[in-house]
Amino acid sequence: MKDKLMNGMLSAAGAMQTQRHLAAIKNAFMSLLPIIIIGSFCTLFSNVICNTTPGFFSLANIPGLSFLGKLNPMFTAANYGTMNFIAIGCVILIAMELGEHYGITDKALPVVALGAYISLCAFTASGKAADGTEVVVTNVLSRVYTNAQGLFVGMFASIAATEIYCRLVKSGKLEIHMPEGVPSNVARSFTILFPSLITVVIISAVGMIFEMATGMTLFNAITAFIQRPLSNILTSFPGYITLIFITTVLWTFGIHGTQVTKAVYEPILLAAFAENEAAYAAGTAIPNIINTPFMSCFSTVTGAGITGGLIIAIMLFSKREDYRAIAKLALPCALFNINEPLTFGLPIVMNPVLAIPFMISPAVSATFAYAMTKIGFCARMVVNAPWTTPPGLMAFLCSGGNIGAAVTQIICILLAFVVYIPFVLIANKQQVVTEE
């Protein structure tokens, strides 16, 4: 029964990791991560360094440093050029990743996918003028379609366009053959002309037919009936705890749970983070507690399972020389949120004694951090710091410089330490029984 369960989980996880669409989404977001970090840090610099608003804590408000306020337009522009075009980058990168899976590396493919996605977007925007009258502007693309709000539709459009394009190109039935003297790059442009045309027209036609049949744009329908409900589930406390539990269960079977589930949760949590980042930049209330940096700070700090707590428990309470030796080697890695030496070295994988606290600790930590955020002790996350940022500093940066967030993160590690203690003591007795 145990072997059957394990084989089933390994098979399911392996299928998710190798499934071409999920793999393309996961790899696209990994490639997009530097842009997201740049954009969020530009917001941090704009607020902490360059903000000249009276009474606001900023270096620019310190006497003699007011000149820093002149740098604000630079950081604001850099933030707009990154965070407000996440959906565009996602469309391009998914098309490239999925195209590579099919052996199609045409430089035109990501442009075709982008064109297909844009064909699903509205080209008008409405708003109110200074006098309160309603104004409609034509021939514009609202940032709703380019920032994180457009991620889900962008993913679907990019995948659909790439699938159509690659099948048409690989069929070879729509090629336009040019004379031998024509340069290869020019000839290739004519070879992919009809596949490109048909791909964009098909996606555009689907959008038009859907709107004619339902009275709702395909973009709005996907947002309302797929993205928003899924977001409500994963950014709710019960849904998030369930996600974390599934991730750690996979880890205990030797499967990289974070990578397996990333394609599912990353778009949702990233969109929630983008909303927080935009609100922080605008100086308005931060809407979401749970988002991407919340996970990094309070669920995977020192590594999945918050194994920094296990290292402390081993160093203080373990009588096993093998555990202590591995913990010493793993400590430098844990400071940068890497825990493979512990996961596979002790091991935690397939070890019931350590697997139990490994699954419990992130849930305890997330619960505590959620409560501290709810009461206002810990600020909501508005910056996406690199995942290798050391504990304490990570939460401080992600919260926009909030001391309470840093304290909360350290306490989360200590809570994990408390959870691991009884199981480290059990491991001590386990060794004695084995020796006897």
Side-chain angles (χ1 to χ4, degrees):
M1 182 66 181
K2 177 182 175 182
D3 290 340
K4 188 177 292 187
L5 175 63
M6 181 179 177
N7 291 334
M9 291 189 66
L10 286 171
S11 177
M16 285 186 67
Q17 281 191 300
T18 57
Q19 205 283 327
R20 61 182 183 275
H21 303 125
L22 293 178
I25 292 171
K26 180 187 68 177
N27 293 336
F29 277 105
M30 289 179 66
S31 299
L32 202 59
L33 184 59
I35 299 300
I36 296 169
I37 291 174
I38 291 169
S40 58
F41 267 87
C42 284
T43 300
L44 180 64
F45 296 153
S46 179
N47 282 272
V48 177
I49 296 176
C50 305
N51 196 323
T52 57
T53 304
F56 194 91
F57 176 75
S58 170
L59 292 180
N61 284 330
I62 297 176
L65 297 179
S66 60
F67 67 92
L68 292 173
K70 296 180 180 179
L71 300 177
N72 202 22
M74 176 181 69
F75 291 118
T76 301
N79 169 263
Y80 191 90
T82 51
M83 292 301 296
N84 280 285
F85 288 87
I86 291 177
I88 301 300
C90 178
V91 170
I92 292 172
L93 291 169
I94 287 176
M96 292 173 64
E97 292 285 344
L98 190 55
E100 286 182 11
H101 172 82
Y102 287 115
I104 302 295
T105 57
D106 294 326
K107 294 180 180 179
L109 171 56
V111 181
V112 170
L114 181 59
Y117 168 63
I118 297 298
S119 72
L120 299 177
C121 303
F123 306 116
T124 60
S126 60
K128 289 187 177 182
D131 59 359
T133 58
E134 191 75 19
V135 178
V136 177
V137 183
T138 59
N139 297 321
V140 296
L141 189 66
S142 171
R143 67 178 180 180
V144 169
Y145 303 110
T146 62
N147 63 16
Q149 295 180 59
L151 280 175
F152 248 69
V153 183
M155 289 190 301
F156 287 132
S158 183
I159 289 172
T162 304
E163 289 285 351
I164 296 170
Y165 177 91
C166 290
R167 280 168 169 71
L168 292 175
V169 169
K170 290 175 77 71
S171 71
K173 297 178 181 179
L174 298 173
E175 293 184 5
I176 299 177
H177 296 283
M178 303 298 290
E180 293 185 3
V182 177
S184 59
N185 59 335
V186 177
R188 184 61 180 171
S189 298
F190 282 92
T191 300
I192 62 174
L193 177 60
F194 280 114
S196 301
L197 171 65
I198 293 172
T199 298
V200 176
V201 170
I202 287 177
I203 300 296
S204 180
V206 169
M208 182 189 71
I209 294 170
F210 184 89
E211 186 171 0
M212 291 174 63
T214 64
M216 175 184 281
T217 66
L218 186 59
F219 185 97
N220 290 340
I222 292 175
T223 301
F225 299 116
I226 298 179
Q227 182 173 351
R228 196 167 294 135
L230 190 56
S231 177
N232 291 339
I233 292 172
L234 290 183
T235 58
S236 69
F237 180 71
Y240 179 74
I241 292 296
T242 302
L243 168 67
I244 294 301
F245 182 74
I246 292 172
T247 300
T248 51
V249 167
L250 291 172
W251 267 108
T252 61
F253 282 89
I255 303 165
H256 199 306
T258 308
Q259 293 298 327
V260 170
T261 58
K262 194 168 191 174
V264 177
Y265 73 75
E266 183 78 352
I268 297 299
L269 298 188
L270 182 59
F273 158 71
E275 290 179 3
N276 282 14
E277 188 269 344
Y280 178 65
T284 56
I286 311 299
N288 302 303
I289 293 179
I290 295 173
N291 51 32
T292 306
F294 182 90
M295 173 180 277
S296 300
C297 288
F298 305 118
S299 299
T300 59
V301 59
T302 70
I306 315 186
T307 47
L310 174 57
I311 292 176
I312 300 172
I314 289 174
M315 299 303 291
L316 293 180
F317 295 101
S318 180
K319 296 178 181 178
R320 297 184 57 159
E321 291 302 322
D322 55 341
Y323 275 27
R324 294 178 67 84
I326 293 172
K328 289 175 183 178
L329 291 173
L331 179 58
C333 299
L335 293 175
F336 298 95
N337 306 307
I338 300 168
N339 71 340
E340 276 77 3
L342 283 177
T343 308
F344 300 102
L346 288 176
I348 295 173
V349 172
M350 302 304 296
N351 181 348
V353 173
L354 295 181
I356 293 172
F358 183 87
M359 293 184 287
I360 294 174
S361 295
V364 172
S365 170
T367 301
F368 176 75
Y370 188 90
M372 291 298 99
T373 306
K374 200 75 174 175
I375 65 175
F377 178 78
C378 174
R380 302 189 181 202
M381 303 293 106
V382 294
V383 174
N384 199 8
W387 66 273
T388 51
T389 307
L393 177 61
M394 174 190 280
F396 181 78
L397 292 175
C398 288
S399 61
N402 180 257
I403 297 296
V407 173
T408 300
Q409 188 176 40
I410 298 302
I411 294 175
C412 285
I413 298 173
L414 295 178
L415 288 173
F417 158 66
V418 173
V419 172
Y420 277 110
I421 289 174
F423 298 91
V424 169
L425 296 176
I426 291 173
N428 290 341
K429 295 181 181 179
Q430 189 180 46
Q431 185 186 36
V432 172
V433 171
T434 303
E435 289 175 350
E436 290 177 350

